[in-house]
Amino acid sequence: MSTDEPRIPGNFIRTIIDEDIAAGKNGGRVATRFPPEPNGYLHIGHAKSICLNFGIAEDYKGLCNLRFDDTNPHRENIEFVEAIQRDVSWLGYDWADRLFYASDYFDQLYGHAVDLIKKGRAYVCDLGPEEIREYRGTLTEPGRESPHRSRSVEENLDLFARMKAGEFEDGARILRARIDMASPNMNLRDPTIYRIRHGAVHHQTGEAWSIYPMYDFTHCLSDSLEGITHSLCTLEFEDHRPLYDWFLDVLEVECHPRQIEFSRLELEYTITSKRKLTRLVDEGQVEDWDDPRMPTIAGMRRRGYTSAALRDFCTRIGVTKSDNNVEMGVLENCVREDLNRCAPRRMAVLHPLKIVLENYPQDQVEELQAANHPQDESMGMRSIPFSRELYIDREDFREEAPRKFKRLVSGGEVRLRNAYVIRCDEVIKDSHGEVIELRCSYDAETLAANPEGRKVKGVIHWVSARHAIQAEVRLYDRLFSHPNPGRDGGDFLEYLNPESLLTLTHCYLESSLAGTVAGEYFQFEREGYFCVDAGHRAEKPVFNRTVTLRDSWARIEQKNK
Ligand code: ATP
Ligand code: MG
């Protein structure tokens, strides 16, 4: 990734790191990690964490590892492992040879658990899940000690070895840390370290293990084994930090990373929870994880968002400990700004209305020249065929219209972008009174923009009927019709926006759009930014609208106020 892009601006995490470096901690070294659980695709919230972890490492000339937090074989699979690597890499970050799995450490973690038992700091407990909950107490009442808390070290070692050997059923026994059942911090009330997962097939370790370590135990030790200096995570882990430190202190490991928490990104009109995104996919509410309406990195990529725009967004939203609820418009503006800079301009008619220029020679075709970008000459020119029969957009014609309608009206004139001024002479309708064609005439003297004395109010886009390419165009809207779907109780699915996808099957594109490849993006003039869909092998090309030209959503909200 280029280093002259905006860097992560100052934030409280950098202040802490600066202080640690000044104090000579870790020999001035900075090492971070991004630790996804491979139980779903990454979403925009993960992008924040990726940019933070990799960005900090880059800025401090340190290293950032990609580590799969793979301790739950029931919910994880290799598809997710692969998708996550693809997404991090697409975002522009390189973990080089530092791709790790928590499961790489299963042997070491087992050894550490045995050490805890030997130190009298862990025990095998036979209480069932119900009883465990009951013994745990509440926020206002202390818990009660398990009857198995005083088992001898020998008995614990024997039972734990037999748990590993697969002698017991799921849930029959667990290994627990022996900390404090009366702690005001519930996480310290003898938390589970290992549970039995019989017959599970793990994507990395197969059927080698019958027991799996819990997140809190695994995470701190994986960080320590990798020599991580600053373990950045989201605020819900703040109450787990004493446990993170407890394991590392009691086990007297060499490297004791520092956990620092920041607030999760929440984006309005969508969701950033893998559990909920999984439901959308499993219940068929969207096409798949990479549906262009999804807030997943894969979905946003397919929608046409650029990785530069996502990194810019993550820089702009900043990193703090306070609520990070961000309006969708902030993300869309980043996308717009980037595409405005780099998307070639094209013409495309989404709701075609045929027009015939009756004074234009029958078989004549002119190759008109148009700039690919109005502000960037280096993007060059293209030629656009002009002929007697054209398509314009239905929205650009009204039989009668108020004065402020600047497009084509019956008997009026309009300029065709990059071409001539035309006049509408006759409106042809079908038997239902619907306009199906316009008879027009063109003025051959008007090819140069605004010839002397010529006043035309509007400019509209068009394509030559004979040369146009047919395409399907998909227009996307918010996936949810509520800014915080389901966060005030209720099922989030009730807030799905039924109009989040509008498919236009008969659109016409200018001929230079022949042969485009998946992922290529353009500005369709006056319509927005579009990209070639990657998810389909359809006969005609499919274009996704990435984003509109302006923030129409903000205007609608303004009006409703
Ligand atoms: P989810 O609640 O969506 O399942 P998670 O936290 O369980 O998310 P992980 O795969 O464990 O998902 O997350 C990997 C890393 O990304 C963690 O360090 C986590 O804190 C961070 N992360 C997850 N969601 C967000 C978010 N919305 N904003 C910022 N960071 C996030
Ligand atoms: Mg998690």
Side-chain angles (χ1 to χ4, degrees):
M1 198 177 97
S2 99
T3 47
D4 45 27
E5 274 185 45
R7 302 181 154 216
I8 303 282
N11 62 44
F12 79 99
I13 294 179
R14 300 183 55 120
T15 307
I16 295 174
I17 296 178
D18 288 339
E19 285 165 5
D20 284 351
I21 291 174
K25 284 194 194 160
N26 309 303
R29 200 171 54 86
V30 173
T32 57
R33 84 289 168 266
F34 173 64
E37 192 182 339
N39 60 354
Y41 277 54
L42 299 179
H43 53 62
I44 183 74
H46 293 114
K48 172 178 176 172
S49 177
I50 294 167
C51 290
L52 176 66
N53 279 293
F54 279 92
I56 291 247
E58 218 164 65
D59 279 4
Y60 285 92
K61 304 209 170 2
L63 296 172
C64 179
N65 299 348
L66 174 60
R67 182 203 315 140
F68 287 104
D69 217 326
D70 55 344
T71 55
N72 191 351
H74 287 329
R75 293 172 53 199
E76 300 163 2
N77 70 50
I78 201 75
E79 177 199 347
F80 298 143
V81 169
E82 287 167 0
I84 289 170
Q85 293 182 57
R86 201 156 53 231
D87 290 347
V88 175
S89 184
W90 177 79
L91 261 184
Y93 297 104
D94 184 6
W95 55 87
D97 57 353
R98 296 178 315 283
L99 172 65
F100 302 115
Y101 294 85
S103 56
D104 294 342
Y105 313 131
F106 279 176
D107 283 324
Q108 280 139 298
L109 293 171
Y110 182 78
H112 281 307
V114 168
D115 277 353
L116 284 179
I117 295 175
K118 288 182 181 161
K119 285 172 188 277
R121 309 305 277 271
Y123 61 97
V124 173
C125 178
D126 307 350
L127 295 180
E130 271 300 303
E131 292 162 305
I132 298 251
R133 214 168 301 132
E134 208 180 289
Y135 274 74
R136 207 160 164 243
T138 63
L139 283 172
T140 49
E141 275 171 45
R144 279 182 295 144
E145 294 187 352
S146 158
H148 313 113
R149 203 174 196 259
S150 50
R151 269 184 173 142
S152 69
V153 169
E154 289 66 36
E155 189 182 0
N156 280 318
L157 287 174
D158 172 61
L159 285 172
F160 188 46
R162 286 164 59 196
M163 278 169 66
K164 179 176 187 255
E167 269 189 40
F168 312 119
E169 290 306 306
D170 282 19
R173 294 198 153 92
I174 53 173
L175 182 72
R176 300 176 75 172
R178 195 168 193 274
I179 309 182
D180 179 5
M181 286 309 290
S183 172
N185 183 338
M186 303 285 280
N187 294 302
L188 297 180
R189 294 188 186 172
D190 292 9
T192 307
I193 308 178
Y194 268 90
R195 59 187 164 179
I196 301 172
R197 281 277 177 272
H198 227 53
V201 181
H202 187 283
H203 50 97
Q204 301 300 316
T205 57
E207 292 173 277
W209 291 86
S210 297
I211 51 173
Y212 286 89
M214 299 299 286
Y215 173 87
D216 282 322
F217 179 69
T218 308
H219 199 77
C220 56
L221 287 165
S222 304
D223 281 349
S224 170
L225 285 163
E226 289 176 15
I228 300 303
T229 58
H230 298 87
S231 180
L232 315 180
C233 61
T234 34
L235 271 177
E236 70 271 24
F237 293 106
E238 198 166 29
D239 289 345
H240 296 237
R241 186 171 2 115
L243 186 53
Y244 185 103
D245 290 330
W246 187 89
F247 283 126
L248 298 182
D249 286 339
V250 171
L251 287 164
E252 297 171 277
V253 292
E254 234 168 80
C255 168
H256 189 137
R258 178 167 183 175
Q259 176 178 306
I260 308 170
E261 310 85 17
F262 61 95
S263 51
R264 294 175 84 85
L265 164 68
E266 306 278 2
L267 197 58
E268 290 189 346
Y269 293 96
T270 190
I271 46 178
T272 48
S273 146
K274 261 188 282 180
R275 189 179 52 78
K276 290 179 180 170
L277 293 172
T278 304
R279 270 191 70 192
L280 289 178
V281 174
D282 289 352
E283 294 176 23
Q285 305 284 1
V286 293
E287 211 178 274
D288 206 340
W289 285 97
D290 70 346
D291 186 302
R293 292 166 292 181
M294 289 280 270
T296 52
I297 296 179
M300 294 187 291
R301 174 170 62 234
R302 187 168 155 201
R303 170 98 168 238
Y305 288 17
T306 59
S307 56
L310 291 188
R311 290 194 303 270
D312 179 28
F313 172 72
C314 292
T315 304
R316 287 192 206 185
I317 58 172
V319 179
T320 65
K321 274 184 177 286
S322 30
D323 281 356
N324 194 204
N325 294 329
V326 180
E327 285 171 29
M328 187 63 99
V330 177
L331 175 57
E332 291 186 342
N333 267 330
C334 293
V335 175
R336 245 178 230 119
E337 275 181 33
D338 191 43
L339 290 176
N340 180 40
R341 230 178 352 254
C342 55
R345 275 42 174 180
R346 294 290 183 265
M347 292 199 287
V349 173
L350 305 190
H351 313 94
L353 173 62
K354 191 167 191 177
I355 67 171
V356 178
L357 304 175
E358 291 190 298
N359 62 342
Y360 196 87
Q362 194 77 43
D363 295 320
Q364 182 170 310
V365 178
E366 280 175 273
E367 291 293 335
L368 305 180
Q369 296 301 303
N372 284 327
H373 195 291
Q375 282 97 39
D376 186 352
E377 276 182 28
S378 74
M379 289 177 75
M381 308 282 288
R382 68 191 191 280
S383 72
I384 315 172
F386 187 86
S387 65
R388 182 181 158 90
E389 297 192 358
L390 311 171
Y391 290 113
I392 63 168
D393 200 288
R394 267 182 188 279
E395 305 273 299
D396 286 335
F397 173 74
R398 299 263 174 87
E399 269 196 281
E400 281 166 54
R403 285 178 66 86
K404 63 176 208 256
F405 185 76
K406 294 213 176 66
R407 294 164 270 169
L408 190 59
V409 294
S410 189
E413 285 190 332
V414 78
R415 171 172 288 282
L416 296 179
R417 177 131 176 92
N418 302 308
Y420 300 96
V421 171
I422 60 164
R423 190 183 62 228
C424 173
D425 302 318
E426 189 190 343
V427 179
I428 297 176
K429 298 179 183 174
D430 65 11
S431 55
H432 308 289
E434 194 180 337
V435 177
I436 49 169
E437 191 178 306
L438 304 178
R439 296 286 162 145
C440 301
S441 49
Y442 87 114
D443 181 343
E445 303 303 314
T446 53
L447 189 53
N450 300 320
E452 291 283 330
R454 187 77 189 201
K455 264 210 166 144
V456 179
K457 279 196 288 184
V459 182
I460 64 173
H461 60 279
W462 54 277
V463 296
S464 164
R466 179 139 55 102
H467 303 91
I469 301 164
Q470 280 210 37
E472 177 176 314
V473 171
R474 300 181 184 171
L475 306 180
Y476 301 102
D477 201 344
R478 304 283 190 278
L479 188 50
F480 292 92
S481 49
H482 190 282
N484 304 310
R487 240 185 282 161
D488 330 326
D491 188 0
F492 73 103
L493 290 177
E494 282 171 25
Y495 298 98
L496 271 173
N497 173 9
E499 283 158 20
S500 59
L501 169 62
L502 178 65
T503 303
L504 306 174
T505 48
H506 288 95
C507 303
Y508 289 103
L509 317 179
E510 70 170 67
S511 55
S512 71
L513 284 162
T516 49
V517 297
E520 251 188 291
Y521 48 78
F522 301 93
Q523 184 195 96
F524 289 172
E525 290 186 277
R526 304 178 61 235
E527 295 287 2
Y529 296 96
F530 292 77
C531 86
V532 184
D533 186 61
H536 285 261
R537 290 270 157 273
E539 265 170 34
K540 50 185 174 186
V542 175
F543 278 78
N544 295 316
R545 183 168 69 194
T546 307
V547 66
T548 52
L549 287 180
R550 275 168 296 278
D551 191 354
S552 52
W553 190 261
R555 270 187 290 147
I556 293 167
E557 291 202 326
Q558 209 61 40
K559 254 196 233 163
N560 292 344
K561 269 182 189 159

